Amino acid sequence: EPEVTQTPSHQVTQMGQEVILRCVPISNHLYFYWYRQILGQKVEFLVSFYNNEISEKSEIFDDQFSVERPDGSNFTLKIRSTKLEDSAMYFCASGQLSSGNTIYFGEGSWLTVV
Amino acid sequence: RKEVEQDPGPFNVPEGATVAFNCTYSNSASQSFFWYRQDCRKEPKLLMSVYSSGNEDGRFTAQLNRASQYISLLIRDSKLSDSATYLCVVNMEDTGRRALTFGSGTRLQVQP
């Protein structure tokens, strides 16, 4: 069964450092997403990406965040200058349609900012 | 008012029990509804979509009441492996926002 894969599974970084989280979406999917879940809290939408551009972003996705699909397979989330409150599980997801359709999540990248 | 609201639980039930979870959503024009399951420190996994006519998948039954903006999930004959957090998820497309909105989840613990 095709799946969304994410790397790294866990990263510890110092406050102020840049972090890149990587995702390989399911190959025939066209819509890509990043969500995050702070420990003990709900899953929150960050950004969606379609046709090589951001289609939607939440208020959480501020200037320190960026996404890219550099090579047609990887989908990356960059956090430019990490803060303690960025510590969370970051989930990548992909889907075939933009809405009303199932999206599939990767296993997540656990980011710890110290 | 929270966009998607769930009773956090935990619901502690014995094996074989029937358990029901409820969820309310704030946006009356929401169009797509789902139940996801999340195990501790794992990714959300789709359990089932929820259709207006209600739908069943084995031991799981989902219902949607658009008038009351209410979604339910019924689990019959609970198994130990059903222990997880159940996430109510809504797509609020009419706001121009097509991303999924998650509830905080209801934790289920099935006991032997």
Side-chain angles (χ1 to χ4, degrees), chain A residues 35 41-45, chain B residues 1-8 21-28 30-36 50 64 68-72 86-93 95 97 99-106:
Chain A
Y35 286 77
Q41 297 187 22
K42 66 179 182 178
V43 177
E44 299 174 293
F45 169 72
Chain B
R1 182 179 172 185
K2 291 182 186 174
E3 292 181 300
V4 180
E5 197 151 0
Q6 296 182 249
D7 180 344
F21 305 137
N22 303 319
C23 166
T24 56
Y25 58 94
S26 60
N27 189 326
S28 60
S30 299
Q31 296 186 6
S32 305
F33 310 90
F34 309 89
W35 283 101
Y36 277 74
V50 187
L64 168 64
S68 301
Q69 294 174 216
Y70 170 98
I71 306 159
S72 66
Y86 290 83
L87 308 176
C88 178
V89 183
V90 175
N91 173 275
M92 300 189 176
E93 190 163 356
T95 61
R97 179 173 150 185
L100 299 179
T101 299
F102 284 75
S104 298
T106 298

Side-chain angles (χ1 to χ4, degrees), chain A residues 33 35 37 39 41-45 55-56 59 89 91 98-108 110, chain B residues 3-4 32 34 36 38 41-46 49 87 91 93 96-105:
Chain A
Y33 308 85
Y35 286 77
Q37 187 174 31
L39 187 63
Q41 297 187 22
K42 66 179 182 178
V43 177
E44 299 174 293
F45 169 72
S55 52
E56 186 184 346
E59 59 277 7
M89 180 74 95
F91 293 110
S98 66
S99 62
N101 188 262
T102 305
I103 67 171
Y104 297 89
F105 287 82
E107 292 186 340
W110 183 249
Chain B
E3 292 181 300
V4 180
S32 305
F34 309 89
Y36 277 74
Q38 186 174 31
R41 307 266 184 136
K42 299 287 189 182
E43 77 275 21
K45 290 187 178 176
L46 179 70
S49 301
L87 308 176
N91 173 275
E93 190 163 356
R97 179 173 150 185
R98 291 183 281 192
L100 299 179
T101 299
F102 284 75
S104 298

Side-chain angles (χ1 to χ4, degrees), chain A residues 2 5 13 32 34 36 42 52 56 59-61 72 76 78-79 92:
Chain A
T5 56
T13 190
F32 315 116
W34 283 101
R36 80 169 185 191
K42 66 179 182 178
N52 287 319
E56 186 184 346
E59 59 277 7
I60 301 170
F61 194 87
T76 62
K78 183 190 289 186
I79 309 174
C92 176

